Amino acid sequence: MSTRQCGTLLLAALLTAGIRPVPPSGISCSLEGWFAPAVAYAQPVRNMIARLRGKKMPSGIVKTNGRVEATQVDVSAKYAGRLAEVSVEEGAIVKLGQIVGRVVSPEYEAELKSAQSEVERAKQSLAQAEADIASRQSSLDFAKADLERGDDLLRKGVITQKDFDQRRRNFESSDAAVKAMTAQRDQAQFTIKKAEADVERIESVLHDLVLVSPRNGRVQYLLLRSGEMVAAGAPVMTVLDLTDVYMTVFLPATDAAKLEIGGEARIVFDARPEYVVPATVSFVAADAQFTPKSVETKDEREKLMFRVKLKLDPKLLQAHFAMVKTGVRGIGIVRTNPATPWPEDLQVSLPK
């Protein structure tokens, strides 16, 4: 390695640490000439470190510490039962609607069989009622025709009033029998609808015993294991929605009041300071977090801290899905003056 290259690396390290180097004894060249390439290389790094430490933040730009969070959604059992299967592990990537577990309930399965049997019994009753209606209707038609003939014969004096009255009673009896069978048919139809509704209800319960992921994301926690009893509404696992990721930061009242919802922001992670991630101010709390909600003096008002969410673009998260993690610490940077341009070292820089 040449002397110039060694000097370049040495000066970059010294300048980053804030130490002004001195040329080695016996070197007659000037300090500026010997270290010029290293100064040019190390200056952007030193500028960024200084900005993130709060030493050289431009007017209208504010930085603060924060941590990355994501929306958490519990996968819960709607009804009680035994957890028969869990098909994912902690850290697994899941998709919306993906089956992640199953709960079994012998009680509901037995109720389903009973309801299905009731449907079949009601259908048989309906078929019997319709057959009886057909038979009674035939008798009614005959009785009606016989009554009409009897009316004509009575006027001609062929039959007596007693015979005519008997024919009328036969007609009325047949008509009542048809109406009774019709009522039985209607009752059978109602029973079928009720039994089918019970079947649909129980099938819905059994469908809800199949656990599915409510979001695209990653399994954060498994709270129950196969074989354990599950109470109604009890969470079985927690899924992180990796398309709804944000950094939570806290800003003084004077800075929070100047933010624009939807305004640009930047995030720099402690573990990967070489990247500058774009974000958007999506939320500013209406109430203070660290001091009483209402204070009277100006000094106390200046101590108010407000929670702010810096939301990451879902498309960006999808492009780097495997790298998205929660709990990561970093620095959130916002503009209290939207007209202030972002410095060069805070321009967006993402992994390839």
Side-chain angles (χ1 to χ4, degrees):
M1 183 181 293
S2 67
T3 302
R4 181 176 294 274
Q5 290 173 327
C6 292
T8 299
L9 296 176
L10 175 61
L11 181 58
L14 292 176
L15 290 178
T16 301
I19 302 175
R20 180 177 177 81
V22 178
S25 60
I27 301 298
S28 59
C29 61
S30 65
L31 178 64
E32 291 76 8
W34 193 58
F35 287 115
V39 171
Y41 172 79
Q43 190 64 33
V45 177
R46 186 172 62 181
N47 287 345
M48 184 174 184
I49 292 174
R51 290 189 193 283
L52 297 182
R53 289 176 177 173
K55 295 179 180 179
K56 293 180 61 179
M57 277 293 170
S59 176
I61 296 181
V62 178
K63 66 94 179 177
T64 184
N65 296 323
R67 67 189 297 271
V68 175
E69 302 177 42
T71 298
Q72 295 188 6
V73 183
D74 287 336
V75 179
S76 303
K78 190 174 181 179
Y79 301 97
R82 184 179 297 278
L83 187 59
E85 176 189 357
V86 178
S87 56
V88 294
E89 295 291 339
E90 290 182 348
I93 300 298
V94 293
K95 297 181 179 180
L96 175 65
Q98 176 182 338
I99 295 177
V100 295
R102 296 179 187 274
V103 177
V104 295
S105 175
E107 294 82 359
Y108 283 115
E109 293 173 358
E111 287 185 20
L112 176 62
K113 292 179 181 179
S114 176
Q116 290 172 337
S117 299
E118 183 63 21
V119 171
E120 293 301 321
R121 188 192 68 79
K123 287 182 177 180
Q124 291 176 0
S125 297
L126 175 62
Q128 182 64 44
E130 289 177 342
D132 290 341
I133 289 174
S135 175
R136 300 291 181 176
Q137 185 65 46
S138 176
S139 298
L140 176 63
D141 293 340
F142 176 80
K144 181 179 180 181
D146 193 41
L147 179 63
E148 292 174 348
R149 289 193 301 270
D151 184 58
D152 184 58
L153 293 175
L154 179 63
R155 286 195 301 268
K156 295 179 180 180
V158 177
I159 62 173
T160 65
Q161 182 67 39
K162 181 179 179 181
D163 293 335
F164 178 77
D165 292 340
Q166 181 63 42
R167 295 187 183 194
R168 183 169 57 189
R169 285 193 293 271
N170 291 339
F171 169 77
E172 292 173 348
S173 176
S174 298
D175 183 60
V178 170
K179 291 179 178 177
M181 292 299 102
T182 301
Q184 289 185 13
R185 181 194 63 186
D186 295 341
Q187 180 62 36
Q189 291 175 339
F190 173 79
T191 303
I192 290 174
K193 291 181 179 179
K194 182 179 181 300
E196 289 177 342
D198 288 339
V199 170
E200 292 179 1
R201 178 184 61 83
I202 300 170
E203 286 178 342
S204 176
V205 170
L206 295 177
H207 179 269
D208 287 334
L209 291 178
V210 179
L211 306 179
V212 298
S213 174
R215 304 283 182 93
N216 293 324
R218 181 183 296 123
V219 178
Q220 182 75 349
Y221 305 111
L222 284 181
L223 306 176
L224 295 174
R225 300 289 178 173
S226 298
E228 294 187 84
M229 294 302 299
V230 182
V236 176
M237 65 185 67
T238 300
V239 174
L240 288 178
D241 184 353
L242 297 184
T243 63
D244 187 12
V245 179
Y246 53 89
M247 172 176 277
T248 300
V249 299
F250 294 89
L251 291 173
T254 53
D255 293 330
K258 299 175 183 178
L259 296 179
E260 290 184 354
I261 300 298
E264 291 185 8
R266 297 287 188 266
I267 295 176
V268 178
F269 302 114
D270 292 345
R272 303 300 296 268
E274 67 271 25
Y275 299 133
V276 179
V277 181
T280 302
V281 178
S282 63
F283 171 81
V284 178
D287 299 321
Q289 306 294 313
F290 300 147
T291 58
K293 295 181 180 180
S294 299
V295 291
E296 300 298 332
T297 66
K298 183 175 184 298
D299 291 341
E300 288 298 318
R301 288 199 300 272
E302 291 176 351
K303 296 178 183 179
L304 295 173
M305 299 293 286
F306 290 81
R307 183 166 63 93
V308 178
K309 289 172 64 173
L310 308 181
K311 185 177 177 64
L312 280 73
D313 184 358
K315 294 182 180 179
L316 176 63
L317 295 170
Q318 188 66 33
H320 303 280
F321 199 79
M323 300 179 65
V324 179
K325 302 177 183 66
T326 57
V328 178
R329 269 63 176 179
I331 295 176
I333 307 163
V334 296
R335 294 192 300 189
T336 56
N337 182 2
T340 303
W342 290 106
E344 183 178 354
D345 53 1
L346 289 180
Q347 297 297 322
V348 175
S349 176
L350 300 172
K352 301 299 183 182

